[in-house]
Amino acid sequence: MTFLPRSIDNNYRGYKIALWLFALLLFMKITMSLNCIFNGYSIATSADGIPLDTFTHACAQMIVSDFALWGLAQLMICVIGVIVLIRYRSAVALMFAVLLFEQLGRKLILHFLPIMRTGTPPGFYVNLILFALMFVGLALSLLTRRDRQF
């Protein structure tokens, strides 16, 4: 199996556990996306440790708006992921790779353009778990399952 299958259909050859990991990952990311859209202020201050109360109202509003926009973008990626999970399973490895590269790209950007945070927010650990799920899921979806016949 490869990142780019010859045809995108429902013929999945990876380990079934990767499908379950993908579904769990999508559920978690959809929940996080909706939280960012509808509860951005709370997520920014608690999960990400951004001290919005120390910013001007306009600046805090901009950050909350950015969280909602980011949440919408993540939700759209997850909708594509749900479609892949239901109808186009041969693209599961590709979707794992897309999610993984997006996560790594965000971390790289935040390395060079850091956000002022207070303490060690719990969002760091959630993202670490998501990264591990993506990495393991990608590996399991790329490995071809060998069904043994007795």
Side-chain angles (χ1 to χ4, degrees), residues 35-102:
N35 248 343
C36 284
I37 292 170
F38 296 111
N39 200 16
Y41 188 91
S42 176
I43 297 300
T45 56
S46 63
D48 286 331
I50 300 171
L52 291 179
D53 54 341
T54 64
F55 300 158
T56 65
H57 176 72
C59 184
Q61 182 62 38
M62 181 202 62
I63 292 170
V64 171
S65 295
D66 283 347
F67 265 68
L69 293 170
W70 176 78
L72 179 63
Q74 290 297 303
L75 185 62
M76 294 299 101
I77 292 171
C78 289
V79 166
I80 294 169
V82 169
I83 292 168
V84 164
L85 185 62
I86 293 170
R87 182 69 178 93
Y88 302 107
R89 289 188 179 176
S90 64
V92 166
L94 175 64
M95 283 305 301
F96 268 124
V98 166
L99 292 170
L100 190 63
F101 289 135
E102 185 274 335

